[in-house]
Amino acid sequence: MGKRIIIESEELYLRPFQKKDARNLFRLVYDNQYFWSKVEPDHHPNYYTYNVQKQRLQDMIHSTGKGKEFNCGIFLREKEQLIGEISIFHILRGPLNQGMVGFSLSKDYVGKGYGTQSLALMTKYAFNDLQLHRVEAAVAPSNIPSISILEKNGFVKEGLLRGYLLMKGQWKDHLLYSKLEND
């Protein structure tokens, strides 16, 4: 990937995933599988294995290198500890020039402002460095903490995405939020 990209604040830094992160990513996903299952689609039990997470990590590194996505770990600066993930994905250029943002934070670090900080850093990067015009997020209506993080970062609720995501065997509605580069 040539240039090493780090996006940072006083408490956190975001950086693209590297091969050396495989064990820590596995631990993060494994330790949070029940916590995240409330707002994520169902995953096959193999998803929570080291080998699947190692392959997922390689896929994220490849997609980031190709410019199709920008996948980062959220690291607590003080401990250099992986506490979450944040990504800009479904990047579309041309007249749309937009991407989707998604983020997940370890249950041990929720409610401390790290999600809000991470989204602020990633959104700034999306507009300034990736030069996107629009960033969107889809969120389950029951995911009040993520809705709060989006709204604190100036994302605006645009509407309801009916039957958006398959969760627990049912198609679940999600809310669409967005932020424009000039917001």
Side-chain angles (χ1 to χ4, degrees):
M1 220 180 120
K3 183 174 128 181
R4 188 170 168 209
I5 301 167
I6 296 180
I7 308 163
E8 54 193 344
S9 70
E10 285 185 30
E11 294 181 288
L12 303 172
Y13 64 92
L14 314 179
R15 73 160 165 73
F17 281 109
Q18 301 170 2
K19 288 181 183 179
K20 69 179 183 179
D21 296 319
R23 179 75 45 202
N24 290 330
L25 178 63
F26 162 69
R27 256 334 324 151
L28 177 73
V29 172
Y30 184 83
D31 290 347
N32 286 282
Q33 62 184 302
Y34 299 109
F35 179 65
W36 290 345
S37 71
K38 300 170 194 165
V39 294
E40 282 191 349
D42 299 336
H43 295 291
H44 189 278
N46 287 349
Y47 181 81
Y48 301 102
T49 64
Y50 175 76
N51 287 336
V52 169
Q53 289 305 310
K54 184 178 176 185
Q55 182 60 54
R56 182 174 162 253
L57 177 76
Q58 291 170 348
D59 293 345
M60 288 191 292
I61 291 168
H62 179 76
S63 293
T64 295
K66 293 276 188 193
K68 296 178 180 181
E69 299 180 357
F70 190 68
N71 302 291
C72 290
I74 302 169
F75 294 86
L76 195 58
R77 181 187 291 280
E78 179 183 332
K79 299 178 184 179
E80 295 192 16
Q81 178 181 358
L82 179 65
I83 63 167
E85 304 178 51
I86 190 164
S87 299
I88 299 284
F89 57 99
H90 295 299
I91 295 174
L92 301 171
R93 296 297 183 176
L96 288 173
N97 202 28
Q98 67 184 26
M100 295 283 295
V101 67
F103 51 91
S104 300
L105 203 59
S106 169
K107 64 186 180 309
D108 299 327
Y109 294 94
V110 170
K112 300 178 188 226
Y114 299 137
T116 302
Q117 286 180 54
S118 298
L119 183 58
L121 291 169
M122 184 57 90
T123 305
K124 183 177 179 183
Y125 184 83
F127 292 136
N128 294 343
D129 294 79
L130 298 178
Q131 297 183 334
L132 297 178
H133 166 69
R134 175 185 172 90
V135 176
E136 296 180 343
V139 61
S142 62
N143 191 347
I144 303 303
S146 290
I147 290 171
S148 176
I149 289 168
L150 289 164
E151 290 177 350
K152 285 178 186 174
N153 274 283
F155 280 73
V156 175
K157 181 168 64 171
E158 291 190 345
L160 183 70
L161 299 168
R162 298 178 311 122
Y164 182 74
L165 192 61
L166 186 61
M167 298 171 64
K168 312 272 185 269
Q170 297 180 3
W171 289 100
K172 299 286 186 174
D173 296 346
H174 275 56
L175 299 173
L176 177 65
Y177 277 78
S178 72
K179 185 170 183 174
L180 304 179
E181 64 185 322
N182 298 326
D183 286 346

